[in-house]
Amino acid sequence: MIILHDPATLLHDTVELLGSKLVPAYESPARVRAILESISNSHHSLEHVRLESRDDDKQSLLEIIADSHGSEYLAHLRDSFLQWREKDLVEENGSILPECFPVANKANSANRPPKDIFARTGYFAFDMSSGIMKDSYKSILASANLARSAVERLRSDDLSAIVALTRPPGHHCNGRKAGGYCYVNNVAVAASQWRKHAPGAKIGILDIDFHHGNGTQDIFYADSNTFYTSIHGEDEFPYYTGNADEEGVDEGLGANLNIPLRPGSSVEAYLEFLRLAIDALGVFAPEMLIVSLGFDTFRLDPLGSFQIDTADYETIGRSIRERLGNIPTAILLEGGYVVEHLGANLLSFIRGWEAGR
Ligand code: OKP
Ligand code: ZN
């Protein structure tokens, strides 16, 4: 398996609230470092991608991102840390966090960005686990670029699958708000990049992070050419989406399948529902597949509660490949927070994937 990594993804290093304390975020550079370590002790080939060295690349990447993300939101990701810095509202090594969020209102004022610099951070986020520090934007673009590069490699080298170590992750971002450690939706970037070559292509998305990919669902909710399916913890973060009755809207009705599973679910239950998701994707018959791969389904994960063990990822990888055959697949990293087990879990998934053909 080819695995793509950009060292710039390691720069983003922020904080989150745990109870009343600001602590280093679970979504940390150590996650990818641990995976890199495991890969270097394996037979897989790690390939470095470096967005920072290519200006023309950056321009075309921004165009692809703009297909699904608002320009004011992107400018906020790029500029807000410096704006706070100029007013000395944050330390050079600090992170900015939102304070006040827009809520449904009888007047319409919540629908435009406020002028206040603190308030804007809340307007462009839906929770407090999406801090922005001095290098966040570099990592956010590097991560999105890995999703794009994965698609380019799938096409040019005629590969059946490729893994991108996308960090920060993307599936909670809908193109207008950051949240759940996500700033740019890497899945949407991959889909846009594929369709740059194949306009109107049918694309399948399998989200097997522990959390519902509310952002990905939202972006494709009315799109009949994109089938999104997710298996996730019921009533867990991000709380307001992920119910089974969310089936898409307008043209997209029927192209969204949510499979919420009880917290604490066993691997047997998980595999049974995974089969439903895979079968639905098979019926949709996409020309390309994107997997949002999270390892917070691992039994020890602090943010998840499924009873899945390292060896089970092999079964999961094999099941997907066996059923869906050789549809070109971009496998993008989402969550997974037990740093010491991340590498082994990814290698297990890949082992299963490679055995499933
Ligand atoms: C992101 B992904 C701990 C709360 C963390 C955010 C969870 C984000 C999960 N203070 N809340 O889907 O793995
Ligand atoms: Zn997650």
PDB file of all heavy atoms in Angstrom, residues 16-18 127 129 171-172 180-181 209 211 237 296 303 335 337, ligand 1:
ATOM      1  N   GLU A  16      -7.789  21.921  23.886  1.00  0.00           N
ATOM      2  CA  GLU A  16      -9.241  21.830  24.021  1.00  0.00           C
ATOM      3  C   GLU A  16      -9.594  21.878  25.505  1.00  0.00           C
ATOM      4  O   GLU A  16      -8.734  21.738  26.372  1.00  0.00           O
ATOM      5  CB  GLU A  16      -9.778  20.554  23.376  1.00  0.00           C
ATOM      6  CG  GLU A  16      -9.347  19.274  24.069  1.00  0.00           C
ATOM      7  CD  GLU A  16      -9.884  18.037  23.364  1.00  0.00           C
ATOM      8  OE1 GLU A  16     -11.079  18.024  23.050  1.00  0.00           O
ATOM      9  OE2 GLU A  16      -9.103  17.108  23.125  1.00  0.00           O
ATOM     10  N   LEU A  17     -10.864  22.079  25.751  1.00  0.00           N
ATOM     11  CA  LEU A  17     -11.338  22.120  27.130  1.00  0.00           C
ATOM     12  C   LEU A  17     -11.678  20.718  27.591  1.00  0.00           C
ATOM     13  O   LEU A  17     -12.387  19.975  26.914  1.00  0.00           O
ATOM     14  CB  LEU A  17     -12.612  22.951  27.224  1.00  0.00           C
ATOM     15  CG  LEU A  17     -12.489  24.442  27.479  1.00  0.00           C
ATOM     16  CD1 LEU A  17     -13.888  25.065  27.497  1.00  0.00           C
ATOM     17  CD2 LEU A  17     -11.768  24.731  28.796  1.00  0.00           C
ATOM     18  N   LEU A  18     -11.174  20.355  28.742  1.00  0.00           N
ATOM     19  CA  LEU A  18     -11.576  19.101  29.356  1.00  0.00           C
ATOM     20  C   LEU A  18     -12.065  19.485  30.751  1.00  0.00           C
ATOM     21  O   LEU A  18     -11.264  19.878  31.594  1.00  0.00           O
ATOM     22  CB  LEU A  18     -10.384  18.139  29.421  1.00  0.00           C
ATOM     23  CG  LEU A  18     -10.708  16.670  29.659  1.00  0.00           C
ATOM     24  CD1 LEU A  18     -11.528  16.086  28.517  1.00  0.00           C
ATOM     25  CD2 LEU A  18      -9.426  15.859  29.833  1.00  0.00           C
ATOM     26  N   ASP A 127     -18.215  24.162  17.688  1.00  0.00           N
ATOM     27  CA  ASP A 127     -17.882  23.656  19.023  1.00  0.00           C
ATOM     28  C   ASP A 127     -16.538  24.227  19.458  1.00  0.00           C
ATOM     29  O   ASP A 127     -15.971  25.073  18.764  1.00  0.00           O
ATOM     30  CB  ASP A 127     -17.883  22.122  19.059  1.00  0.00           C
ATOM     31  CG  ASP A 127     -16.637  21.508  18.431  1.00  0.00           C
ATOM     32  OD1 ASP A 127     -15.835  22.240  17.798  1.00  0.00           O
ATOM     33  OD2 ASP A 127     -16.451  20.289  18.570  1.00  0.00           O
ATOM     34  N   SER A 129     -13.754  22.368  20.100  1.00  0.00           N
ATOM     35  CA  SER A 129     -12.591  21.492  19.879  1.00  0.00           C
ATOM     36  C   SER A 129     -11.952  21.767  18.517  1.00  0.00           C
ATOM     37  O   SER A 129     -11.517  20.845  17.842  1.00  0.00           O
ATOM     38  CB  SER A 129     -12.963  20.026  20.061  1.00  0.00           C
ATOM     39  OG  SER A 129     -14.195  19.725  19.472  1.00  0.00           O
ATOM     40  N   HIS A 171     -14.188  15.230   8.550  1.00  0.00           N
ATOM     41  CA  HIS A 171     -15.590  14.861   8.309  1.00  0.00           C
ATOM     42  C   HIS A 171     -16.633  15.655   9.093  1.00  0.00           C
ATOM     43  O   HIS A 171     -17.817  15.573   8.777  1.00  0.00           O
ATOM     44  CB  HIS A 171     -15.797  13.338   8.466  1.00  0.00           C
ATOM     45  CG  HIS A 171     -15.732  12.808   9.854  1.00  0.00           C
ATOM     46  ND1 HIS A 171     -16.436  11.677  10.237  1.00  0.00           N
ATOM     47  CD2 HIS A 171     -15.054  13.219  10.962  1.00  0.00           C
ATOM     48  CE1 HIS A 171     -16.191  11.420  11.505  1.00  0.00           C
ATOM     49  NE2 HIS A 171     -15.354  12.328  11.965  1.00  0.00           N
ATOM     50  N   HIS A 172     -16.219  16.425  10.096  1.00  0.00           N
ATOM     51  CA  HIS A 172     -17.193  17.263  10.812  1.00  0.00           C
ATOM     52  C   HIS A 172     -17.389  18.645  10.176  1.00  0.00           C
ATOM     53  O   HIS A 172     -18.283  19.384  10.590  1.00  0.00           O
ATOM     54  CB  HIS A 172     -16.787  17.440  12.280  1.00  0.00           C
ATOM     55  CG  HIS A 172     -16.822  16.166  13.061  1.00  0.00           C
ATOM     56  ND1 HIS A 172     -17.955  15.383  13.147  1.00  0.00           N
ATOM     57  CD2 HIS A 172     -15.859  15.507  13.769  1.00  0.00           C
ATOM     58  CE1 HIS A 172     -17.701  14.305  13.881  1.00  0.00           C
ATOM     59  NE2 HIS A 172     -16.431  14.348  14.262  1.00  0.00           N
ATOM     60  N   GLY A 180     -15.122  19.668  15.947  1.00  0.00           N
ATOM     61  CA  GLY A 180     -14.679  18.280  16.089  1.00  0.00           C
ATOM     62  C   GLY A 180     -13.302  18.058  15.482  1.00  0.00           C
ATOM     63  O   GLY A 180     -13.077  17.051  14.807  1.00  0.00           O
ATOM     64  N   TYR A 181     -12.392  18.997  15.723  1.00  0.00           N
ATOM     65  CA  TYR A 181     -11.003  18.943  15.230  1.00  0.00           C
ATOM     66  C   TYR A 181     -10.906  19.100  13.714  1.00  0.00           C
ATOM     67  O   TYR A 181      -9.832  18.875  13.151  1.00  0.00           O
ATOM     68  CB  TYR A 181     -10.309  17.621  15.607  1.00  0.00           C
ATOM     69  CG  TYR A 181     -10.411  17.187  17.042  1.00  0.00           C
ATOM     70  CD1 TYR A 181     -10.689  15.863  17.383  1.00  0.00           C
ATOM     71  CD2 TYR A 181     -10.179  18.085  18.090  1.00  0.00           C
ATOM     72  CE1 TYR A 181     -10.760  15.436  18.693  1.00  0.00           C
ATOM     73  CE2 TYR A 181     -10.246  17.670  19.412  1.00  0.00           C
ATOM     74  CZ  TYR A 181     -10.547  16.345  19.712  1.00  0.00           C
ATOM     75  OH  TYR A 181     -10.602  15.918  21.018  1.00  0.00           O
ATOM     76  N   ASP A 209     -15.446   6.233  11.008  1.00  0.00           N
ATOM     77  CA  ASP A 209     -15.006   6.862  12.254  1.00  0.00           C
ATOM     78  C   ASP A 209     -16.104   6.617  13.293  1.00  0.00           C
ATOM     79  O   ASP A 209     -17.267   6.403  12.936  1.00  0.00           O
ATOM     80  CB  ASP A 209     -14.832   8.369  12.018  1.00  0.00           C
ATOM     81  CG  ASP A 209     -14.300   9.113  13.230  1.00  0.00           C
ATOM     82  OD1 ASP A 209     -15.119   9.454  14.122  1.00  0.00           O
ATOM     83  OD2 ASP A 209     -13.085   9.365  13.289  1.00  0.00           O
ATOM     84  N   HIS A 211     -17.518   8.684  15.126  1.00  0.00           N
ATOM     85  CA  HIS A 211     -18.474   9.797  15.149  1.00  0.00           C
ATOM     86  C   HIS A 211     -19.158   9.997  13.799  1.00  0.00           C
ATOM     87  O   HIS A 211     -18.563   9.730  12.756  1.00  0.00           O
ATOM     88  CB  HIS A 211     -17.748  11.092  15.553  1.00  0.00           C
ATOM     89  CG  HIS A 211     -17.036  10.974  16.865  1.00  0.00           C
ATOM     90  ND1 HIS A 211     -15.687  10.672  16.958  1.00  0.00           N
ATOM     91  CD2 HIS A 211     -17.496  11.085  18.134  1.00  0.00           C
ATOM     92  CE1 HIS A 211     -15.337  10.610  18.236  1.00  0.00           C
ATOM     93  NE2 HIS A 211     -16.410  10.858  18.978  1.00  0.00           N
ATOM     94  N   PHE A 237     -21.292  12.584  20.126  1.00  0.00           N
ATOM     95  CA  PHE A 237     -20.814  13.729  19.349  1.00  0.00           C
ATOM     96  C   PHE A 237     -20.906  13.402  17.864  1.00  0.00           C
ATOM     97  O   PHE A 237     -20.570  12.297  17.489  1.00  0.00           O
ATOM     98  CB  PHE A 237     -19.357  14.035  19.740  1.00  0.00           C
ATOM     99  CG  PHE A 237     -18.777  15.218  19.017  1.00  0.00           C
ATOM    100  CD1 PHE A 237     -18.864  16.487  19.559  1.00  0.00           C
ATOM    101  CD2 PHE A 237     -18.158  15.062  17.777  1.00  0.00           C
ATOM    102  CE1 PHE A 237     -18.344  17.585  18.884  1.00  0.00           C
ATOM    103  CE2 PHE A 237     -17.642  16.162  17.099  1.00  0.00           C
ATOM    104  CZ  PHE A 237     -17.733  17.413  17.660  1.00  0.00           C
ATOM    105  N   ASP A 296     -11.157   5.615  16.317  1.00  0.00           N
ATOM    106  CA  ASP A 296     -11.764   5.854  17.634  1.00  0.00           C
ATOM    107  C   ASP A 296     -12.878   4.845  17.898  1.00  0.00           C
ATOM    108  O   ASP A 296     -13.551   4.908  18.937  1.00  0.00           O
ATOM    109  CB  ASP A 296     -12.254   7.306  17.795  1.00  0.00           C
ATOM    110  CG  ASP A 296     -12.871   7.879  16.541  1.00  0.00           C
ATOM    111  OD1 ASP A 296     -13.158   7.095  15.611  1.00  0.00           O
ATOM    112  OD2 ASP A 296     -13.087   9.098  16.501  1.00  0.00           O
ATOM    113  N   LEU A 303     -12.580   8.697  23.226  1.00  0.00           N
ATOM    114  CA  LEU A 303     -13.722   9.405  22.646  1.00  0.00           C
ATOM    115  C   LEU A 303     -14.724   8.468  21.974  1.00  0.00           C
ATOM    116  O   LEU A 303     -15.682   8.931  21.347  1.00  0.00           O
ATOM    117  CB  LEU A 303     -13.240  10.456  21.638  1.00  0.00           C
ATOM    118  CG  LEU A 303     -12.340  11.578  22.194  1.00  0.00           C
ATOM    119  CD1 LEU A 303     -12.007  12.580  21.103  1.00  0.00           C
ATOM    120  CD2 LEU A 303     -12.989  12.283  23.381  1.00  0.00           C
ATOM    121  N   GLY A 335     -10.470  10.206  12.852  1.00  0.00           N
ATOM    122  CA  GLY A 335     -10.053  10.210  14.250  1.00  0.00           C
ATOM    123  C   GLY A 335      -9.295   8.954  14.680  1.00  0.00           C
ATOM    124  O   GLY A 335      -8.861   8.149  13.865  1.00  0.00           O
ATOM    125  N   TYR A 337      -7.621   8.039  18.838  1.00  0.00           N
ATOM    126  CA  TYR A 337      -6.881   8.835  19.815  1.00  0.00           C
ATOM    127  C   TYR A 337      -6.031   8.035  20.795  1.00  0.00           C
ATOM    128  O   TYR A 337      -5.459   8.615  21.710  1.00  0.00           O
ATOM    129  CB  TYR A 337      -7.867   9.774  20.534  1.00  0.00           C
ATOM    130  CG  TYR A 337      -8.621  10.584  19.498  1.00  0.00           C
ATOM    131  CD1 TYR A 337      -9.913  10.233  19.099  1.00  0.00           C
ATOM    132  CD2 TYR A 337      -7.995  11.624  18.830  1.00  0.00           C
ATOM    133  CE1 TYR A 337     -10.571  10.919  18.089  1.00  0.00           C
ATOM    134  CE2 TYR A 337      -8.640  12.325  17.822  1.00  0.00           C
ATOM    135  CZ  TYR A 337      -9.929  11.963  17.450  1.00  0.00           C
ATOM    136  OH  TYR A 337     -10.564  12.637  16.436  1.00  0.00           O
TER     137      TYR A 337
HETATM  138  C1  OKP B   1     -13.558  14.045  16.017  1.00  0.00           C
HETATM  139  B1  OKP B   1     -13.491  12.841  15.110  1.00  0.00           B
HETATM  140  C2  OKP B   1     -13.236  16.267  24.589  1.00  0.00           C
HETATM  141  C3  OKP B   1     -14.443  16.476  23.665  1.00  0.00           C
HETATM  142  C4  OKP B   1     -14.074  16.163  22.265  1.00  0.00           C
HETATM  143  C5  OKP B   1     -14.826  16.444  20.011  1.00  0.00           C
HETATM  144  C6  OKP B   1     -14.804  15.061  19.452  1.00  0.00           C
HETATM  145  C7  OKP B   1     -14.327  15.142  18.048  1.00  0.00           C
HETATM  146  C8  OKP B   1     -14.196  13.834  17.349  1.00  0.00           C
HETATM  147  N1  OKP B   1     -12.957  17.472  25.301  1.00  0.00           N
HETATM  148  N2  OKP B   1     -15.144  16.521  21.404  1.00  0.00           N
HETATM  149  O1  OKP B   1     -14.684  12.419  14.550  1.00  0.00           O
HETATM  150  O2  OKP B   1     -12.755  11.739  15.613  1.00  0.00           O
END
